[in-house]
Amino acid sequence: MLLHRRNFLITTSFLLITLLCVCTTAIGAKQHDNQTQTIQNKETSRPKIGLVLSGGGARGFAHIGVLKVLEENNVPIDYVVGTSMGSIIGGLYAIGLTPEEIEHGVKGIAWDKVFDDFAYREYKTFRRKQDDFDFFNIHRVGINDDGLQLSPGLIEGQQIEIALDRLAYPGFHINDYDKLHIPFRAIATNIENGEPFVIKSGNIARAMRASMSIPGALPPITIDDTLLVDGGIANNVPIDIVREMGADIVIVVDVSAPLAKKEDIKSSVDVTGQLTTILTRRVADIQLKTLKDRDVLIVPGATEITSSDFDKYPELIKAGEESATRSIDTIQELSLPYDDYSDHMASLPKIANKNPVIDFIDIHNNTSLKDEVMQVRIHQKTGEPLDIPQLEEDLSYIYGLDFSSSVVYSLEKRDGKTGLVIYVRDREWAHSSLQFGLSIKSETNVGALTNIDAAYTKSNLNDLAGEFRATAGIGSEPELSAEIYQPLNVNLDFFVSAKAGLHTTIFPNTINNKVDSIERFHRTYLDLSTGKILDQTTQFTFGYFHSDGYTDTISGNSLFSDGDFREGLLYASVFHDSLDNLSFPNTGFFGGLCFKASQEKLGADSEYEQIQLILSGAGTYRRYTVFTRAILETTINEDAPFNALFRRGGFLELSGSLDRELAGQNFSLIEAAFYKRLGNITFLPIYTGFSIETGNAWNRLSDISAENAIFAGSIFIGADTFIGPLYMAFGFNDDGQQALYFNIGQTFLGK
């Protein structure tokens, strides 16, 4: 009996507790549902606010300042529409980034490099780094069946696409822009009919890129089989689009460049810019006339800052804050109480915070290279989280192969799995191309040596980057050559090369610091080599060189009684090149060691051995750079013929002397150059500095001493221009020599 009673009590208690829990849960759920319903009712009852961000190039950074003020005043944004730069800032905000996070992302972009069409030098192959010494700096021209072909834009946009992918990464997994943190639209222009094209789905970084494809500057982007350019042409202030999305009230931020005054229109470029602004403004003005009483128009000032002043983002962000503050009364009419605003922000979809695990990797390669050439350069592994810094570096190395117009990626969902898809787009217009270069050396007492050079390159001989190149130079030192270069494996690190050509070199012969004659070497040569490349920076080469040549005298007394010569030698060399720039290096190291052995049985007139060693490097603190270099060249048995003497001199090679004036069996140089970047001109870096140098040329090692070394120096100003480095310098030395130099094309390492 007692047992039955105890079981009854236990069962009853359990039932009562269960009933209590169910009731409590039901009450809690009802309260949560009521709370959610309350928030939803508040969201439904208030007017929907749409934000329109116009294009304006760099001036679009002002959008960030406006966003800061809107958030500080609890203004809820329900829809975002952006054009050009407005699509970038607006898209990032729609993804879920805060204004502060957007500002941080902007600061992390090297705006002086992002509009550079070339691969950063650290990512170039060693072959392409060698090209830097040949000064083919002028814009490449393609050759195809239709004749000459220019690039679809002044730049192809690789660096921009990488930057946008990095900024927009948190939204990679969202294809439908209505499912973003805030519903979003990007506006581009259909180049076929001039109509606005509204982008509302797909890769959001790609949408931003399409919206900002400035005609003539950046290539068009294809989305949904439509060729798209900058949206500012068709609708720079897309008020109509945000109203179609559902906005009751519109906040417009117009950062369009103002029309120039007539006194500021001085060139054809100014005229073109003014016409573009006029066309953009006409469409914008039509849109602005549709604004209603409760709508807000914000026009940031800073009219002195242009659309290309990307380095002035701090001033522009501040200008955006100030302009929004001037409209603070109107803005505060749209603000929500703190609790309501917090509830609104909490109700929005959240962005992804973790890198996804990559389940598969696809490479869409439409270049002539083997897929394996791309695959060996991708280090991302399946089953591991995405490593964005490593991926960006890998894509940069692929772009540095110089076969693709762009190398970009996207993250895609397939059957519930996340994949990394890499698109390597062929540079179709430049399979065969022409490049040009200009070289000028002007010195007192000698005059100017001027050369115009051209190179024809056929870059897709086969799927292992086989290359044919023909070069021609006219001017003071004419040249004609042809070369076959062939990598042997998918890593492209084993190669063979065959080059033949004609070349002329000019040098002065001086007596007592006065030009006695100007001599000229003419060579017909053959160069056969093979080698191994290590990690983009170091190359080992072994080769055979043969030439037949003669000398003649341009002016003065001939230096040579017998001017004919033959060369035949084997050489082995190792070179390391990690300099970031040859014109004005900021960081990196360049070093080389070369051994030459001339033998009569190889076709030479005489037998000798030479060693050449060069060590140089650069380091930068803020805008100050120090560049150091040491050169040691020696003939082991000191019996090299006249045609094999080391010839140095000129600017930064014992300044004050003339170019190649110093000749001997041995040569040494130690120097340090100090220079500073002037101002903050993004697209035309200007530098000023000075150098300290010592060294000389000697015929015998026993002659080398500090007493007969030359001490020299220079002061210079230079610029890294689109036609190559430009220097103007004054050089002097303790041998009583002084010289004024004007050089185009010569780097700190010479040519």
Side-chain angles (χ1 to χ4, degrees):
M1 176 70 77
L2 292 174
L3 181 61
H4 287 296
R5 182 180 295 175
R6 188 174 64 180
N7 288 341
F8 174 78
L9 291 173
I10 292 173
T11 302
T12 304
S13 299
F14 176 77
L15 291 172
L16 289 171
I17 292 172
T18 302
L19 181 62
L20 180 62
C21 291
V22 170
C23 292
T24 303
T25 301
I27 293 170
K30 186 174 181 179
Q31 290 176 339
H32 180 267
D33 290 342
N34 290 338
Q35 186 179 11
T36 302
Q37 187 63 47
T38 300
I39 295 173
Q40 291 175 345
N41 290 337
K42 288 181 179 179
E43 288 290 293
T44 304
S45 63
R46 70 171 178 81
K48 299 298 182 181
I49 300 174
L51 179 65
V52 175
L53 304 180
S54 82
R59 292 177 54 80
F61 291 136
H63 294 316
I64 301 173
V66 174
L67 290 174
K68 287 183 177 182
V69 175
L70 294 178
E71 287 207 345
E72 289 169 358
N73 287 274
N74 298 339
V75 177
I77 302 299
D78 301 288
Y79 312 100
V80 179
V81 182
T83 297
S84 196
M85 194 65 176
S87 75
I88 296 175
I89 305 301
L92 297 177
Y93 192 61
I95 289 171
L97 273 65
T98 67
E100 290 74 20
E101 288 171 331
I102 299 172
E103 182 178 3
H104 179 74
V106 167
K107 289 181 178 178
I109 294 176
W111 293 102
D112 59 335
K113 295 181 178 180
V114 80
F115 292 103
D116 190 343
D117 199 26
F118 303 100
Y120 298 164
R121 200 165 186 275
E122 64 185 292
Y123 300 121
K124 290 183 178 180
T125 63
F126 205 92
R127 170 78 171 170
R128 297 285 77 87
K129 287 181 179 180
Q130 290 176 308
D131 291 347
D132 293 342
F133 288 92
D134 295 326
F135 313 123
F136 295 114
N137 298 303
I138 302 175
H139 199 69
R140 175 164 31 195
V141 179
I143 304 175
N144 54 33
D145 295 339
D146 298 324
L148 298 181
Q149 178 74 46
L150 295 175
S151 169
L154 290 176
I155 61 174
E156 292 178 317
Q158 169 68 14
Q159 312 303 343
I160 293 174
E161 295 211 32
I162 290 292
L164 292 178
D165 281 336
R166 186 187 313 132
L167 291 172
Y169 166 73
F172 82 91
H173 59 295
I174 300 176
N175 187 70
D176 183 353
Y177 298 171
D178 284 335
K179 296 180 180 180
L180 292 169
H181 187 70
I182 303 172
F184 171 69
R185 301 289 186 269
I187 308 300
T189 300
N190 184 334
I191 193 62
E192 291 186 278
N193 57 27
E195 296 295 322
F197 186 91
V198 181
I199 309 173
K200 56 185 177 181
S201 63
N203 184 301
I204 194 167
R206 191 75 171 161
M208 297 172 182
R209 170 67 176 83
S211 183
M212 64 166 296
S213 294
I214 305 169
L218 289 166
I221 295 293
T222 300
I223 294 179
D224 296 337
D225 293 325
T226 306
L227 199 62
L228 303 176
V229 296
D230 194 294
I233 299 172
N235 194 352
N236 200 41
V237 188
I239 298 171
D240 55 336
I241 304 302
V242 80
R243 291 201 193 280
E244 290 175 7
M245 294 177 71
D248 303 302
I249 298 173
V250 178
I251 300 174
V252 178
V253 187
D254 186 3
V255 297
S256 306
L259 289 169
K261 304 295 183 181
K262 64 179 182 180
E263 56 268 20
D264 297 325
I265 304 175
K266 301 176 182 179
S267 67
S268 59
V269 176
D270 296 332
V271 172
T272 302
Q274 184 80 336
L275 289 173
T276 303
T277 303
I278 290 172
L279 293 172
T280 302
R281 285 253 46 103
R282 283 183 177 177
V283 178
D285 288 343
I286 294 173
Q287 290 285 325
L288 291 172
K289 288 179 180 179
T290 67
L291 292 176
K292 302 176 182 179
D293 291 340
R294 294 193 67 187
D295 296 333
V296 182
L297 174 61
I298 299 173
V299 182
T303 56
E304 74 284 356
I305 301 178
T306 71
S307 58
S308 61
D309 290 330
F310 286 89
D311 57 313
K312 296 183 178 179
Y313 59 85
E315 297 98 312
L316 288 162
I317 293 173
K318 184 179 180 181
E321 292 184 68
E322 292 174 347
S323 63
T325 302
R326 288 193 294 270
S327 301
I328 195 66
D329 291 341
T330 309
I331 289 174
Q332 288 179 342
E333 292 178 3
L334 306 177
S335 66
L336 295 178
Y338 177 81
D339 290 342
D340 291 349
Y341 183 74
S342 298
D343 291 339
H344 164 75
M345 297 301 292
S347 68
L348 299 179
K350 302 299 184 291
I351 62 174
N353 293 318
K354 294 183 179 180
N355 290 353
V357 173
I358 300 300
D359 299 307
F360 63 90
I361 300 174
D362 284 349
I363 299 178
H364 293 196
N365 169 35
N366 67 348
T367 73
S368 60
L369 299 181
K370 285 185 175 183
D371 292 345
E372 292 84 352
V373 174
M374 314 301 172
Q375 292 167 356
V376 298
R377 287 163 171 78
I378 300 298
H379 293 86
Q380 178 68 48
K381 305 296 183 184
T382 56
E384 295 182 0
L386 179 65
D387 187 341
I388 294 178
Q390 181 63 61
L391 176 60
E392 290 185 357
E393 184 173 274
D394 295 343
L395 300 186
S396 296
Y397 281 122
I398 294 175
Y399 185 70
L401 297 173
D402 202 34
F403 274 77
S404 55
S405 61
S406 65
V407 187
V408 297
Y409 73 94
S410 68
L411 298 172
E412 299 181 6
K413 291 282 189 179
R414 297 178 189 171
D415 301 324
K417 296 183 177 181
T418 300
L420 170 65
V421 183
I422 297 169
Y423 298 90
V424 187
R425 304 185 184 110
D426 190 25
R427 186 180 281 138
E428 297 179 359
W429 64 273
H431 290 166
S432 298
S433 64
L434 286 173
Q435 290 174 276
F436 302 92
L438 174 66
S439 176
I440 299 175
K441 292 183 181 180
S442 180
E443 305 173 339
T444 52
N445 302 321
V446 176
L449 300 179
T450 303
N451 258 51
I452 298 175
D453 303 298
Y456 167 79
T457 303
K458 176 70 173 175
S459 61
N460 61 340
L461 290 183
N462 50 55
D463 57 9
L464 282 179
E467 181 177 282
F468 169 78
R469 172 171 289 182
T471 62
I474 59 174
S476 305
E477 298 187 330
E479 181 174 7
L480 185 66
S481 69
E483 180 187 18
I484 295 288
Y485 178 87
Q486 182 59 64
L488 302 176
N489 59 346
V490 295
N491 285 321
L492 309 183
D493 53 358
F494 285 100
F495 68 90
V496 292
S497 173
K499 185 176 183 180
L502 311 170
H503 181 63
T504 296
T505 306
I506 294 176
F507 61 92
N509 174 39
T510 61
I511 298 177
N512 297 324
N513 296 334
K514 293 183 179 180
V515 178
D516 184 61
S517 65
I518 296 179
E519 309 288 346
R520 184 162 53 190
F521 280 0
H522 304 269
R523 281 186 173 90
T524 303
Y525 66 88
L526 172 68
D527 189 351
L528 305 174
S529 65
T530 185
K532 175 72 167 67
I533 301 169
L534 301 179
D535 63 14
Q536 308 280 115
T537 62
T538 306
Q539 176 173 293
F540 296 90
T541 307
F542 176 80
Y544 167 74
F545 180 86
H546 176 81
S547 78
D548 289 287
Y550 67 95
T551 66
D552 63 7
T553 302
I554 299 176
S555 64
N557 301 313
S558 177
L559 182 65
F560 310 106
S561 58
D562 182 6
D564 295 336
F565 60 88
R566 287 171 60 86
E567 296 171 302
L569 56 87
L570 295 175
Y571 64 89
S573 65
V574 56
F575 283 95
H576 176 92
D577 185 355
S578 59
L579 292 175
D580 65 334
N581 188 301
L582 282 191
S583 304
F584 295 91
N586 294 306
T587 61
F589 173 80
F590 181 92
L593 176 65
C594 182
F595 174 77
K596 300 177 182 178
S598 175
Q599 297 289 317
E600 292 182 357
K601 60 185 176 183
L602 297 175
D605 291 329
S606 57
E607 298 188 352
Y608 60 91
E609 291 81 37
Q610 292 181 326
I611 296 175
Q612 295 174 283
L613 174 67
I614 180 172
L615 301 170
S616 59
T620 298
Y621 176 73
R622 296 184 176 177
R623 294 184 180 180
Y624 298 89
T625 300
V626 58
F627 175 85
T628 59
R629 180 169 59 157
I631 298 175
L632 175 63
E633 300 172 317
T634 185
T635 305
I636 295 176
N637 45 10
E638 299 183 349
D639 57 0
F642 68 90
N643 55 282
L645 296 178
F646 299 111
R647 300 188 180 277
R648 297 282 186 173
F651 176 51
L652 297 177
E653 288 190 356
L654 300 175
S655 298
S657 62
L658 303 179
D659 186 55
R660 305 169 193 155
E661 169 189 358
L662 303 170
Q665 302 279 346
N666 307 279
F667 177 83
S668 68
L669 171 71
I670 299 175
E671 72 176 358
F674 305 85
Y675 47 93
K676 175 188 177 183
R677 179 168 174 172
L678 299 178
N680 203 19
I681 304 174
T682 301
F683 302 108
L684 184 62
I686 298 175
Y687 302 84
T688 185
F690 66 94
S691 68
I692 302 171
E693 312 151 40
T694 185
N696 207 341
W698 296 273
N699 280 321
R700 294 183 299 274
L701 287 172
S702 58
D703 294 333
I704 300 176
S705 66
E707 287 76 17
N708 56 21
I710 298 173
F711 292 87
S714 71
I715 55 175
F716 59 86
I717 186 169
D720 202 0
T721 75
F722 74 97
I723 60 173
L726 181 152
Y727 302 91
M728 292 178 286
F730 171 70
F732 51 90
N733 60 52
D734 66 353
D735 206 25
Q737 292 179 293
Q738 298 180 352
L740 293 173
Y741 303 97
F742 176 79
N743 293 334
I744 294 177
Q746 180 177 332
T747 72
F748 275 82
L749 294 178
K751 182 177 181 179

